[in-house]
Amino acid sequence: MNAYNIAMPLIDPGQKAPAFNLNDQHSQPHRLSDYAGRPVVLYFYPKDDTPGCTKESCAFEENLPKFKRGKAAILGVSILDEASKARFADKYKLTFPLLADPEHDVAEKYGVWQKKTNYGRSYMGIARTTYLIGPDGKVAKRWDNVKVDGHAEAVLAAVGEL
């Protein structure tokens, strides 16, 4: 968390996407620069192997061949560690990179590390948000407070518009 305990602003379409370097479920590093020249779907989800996050991730996996036809990479990000990501990916046969952001540095850079309230309790966590980063490294579109149903298909349609 930044020194002032304030959520960073979201990155708006047209802005350069912040660089990152995170390991996936196989301990392989991924940098945004590795994907230069192609679209990147960077989706932030609260927690591995929970109902909404599972449904969202499985929908991206189901549509993966269509995303690949559009040359788009899909990268999921949450704060749980690589071991948690590996269990999640194995359990649901997720083949795209799930990136571990245990210090929530990247979530903060993208403005998705936010104050949340559940049953009257406030805490900091990831707000379900998806960024579509264009081949030029700029944010092409952002979805806030994502509703899981139909989301992967909406993102796929946006990739097709790039």
Side-chain angles (χ1 to χ4, degrees):
M1 191 67 184
N2 58 45
Y4 300 102
N5 201 26
I6 318 171
M8 299 291 289
L10 292 160
I11 307 302
D12 289 323
Q15 290 183 296
K16 185 170 176 39
F20 60 80
N21 183 2
L22 295 174
N23 287 345
D24 70 11
Q25 67 267 37
H26 307 293
S27 299
Q28 297 298 308
H30 292 263
R31 293 169 203 77
L32 181 57
S33 59
D34 296 339
Y35 300 93
R38 61 188 284 208
V40 174
V41 175
L42 186 66
Y43 78 98
F44 291 88
Y45 63 98
K47 195 171 180 186
D48 299 328
D49 204 6
T50 56
C53 299
T54 298
K55 191 172 184 182
E56 181 179 25
S57 297
C58 288
F60 278 120
E61 181 67 35
E62 184 179 307
N63 285 283
L64 192 58
K66 295 174 187 170
F67 280 102
K68 286 183 175 179
R69 280 197 292 277
K71 301 196 180 350
I74 297 176
L75 305 172
V77 182
S78 83
I79 61 170
L80 297 179
D81 63 20
E82 294 167 33
S84 176
K85 304 263 169 285
R87 287 189 301 275
F88 183 40
D90 288 346
K91 183 174 180 179
Y92 295 100
K93 298 181 178 23
L94 303 173
T95 60
F96 56 86
L98 297 175
L99 307 180
D101 186 19
E103 303 299 319
H104 46 82
D105 293 331
V106 176
E108 284 186 44
K109 283 183 187 180
Y110 280 82
V112 302
W113 185 249
Q114 299 176 7
K115 185 175 183 178
K116 300 171 85 175
T117 305
N118 195 13
Y119 298 110
R121 185 176 74 87
S122 294
Y123 59 95
M124 295 301 290
I126 287 183
R128 191 181 308 276
T129 307
T130 300
Y131 284 93
L132 174 57
I133 301 167
D136 60 358
K138 292 182 180 176
V139 173
K141 191 165 174 102
R142 184 186 76 224
W143 291 263
D144 301 328
N145 303 310
V146 167
K147 302 295 180 247
V148 173
D149 288 334
H151 179 60
E153 294 79 5
V155 175
L156 183 60
V159 168
E161 293 169 7
L162 288 180

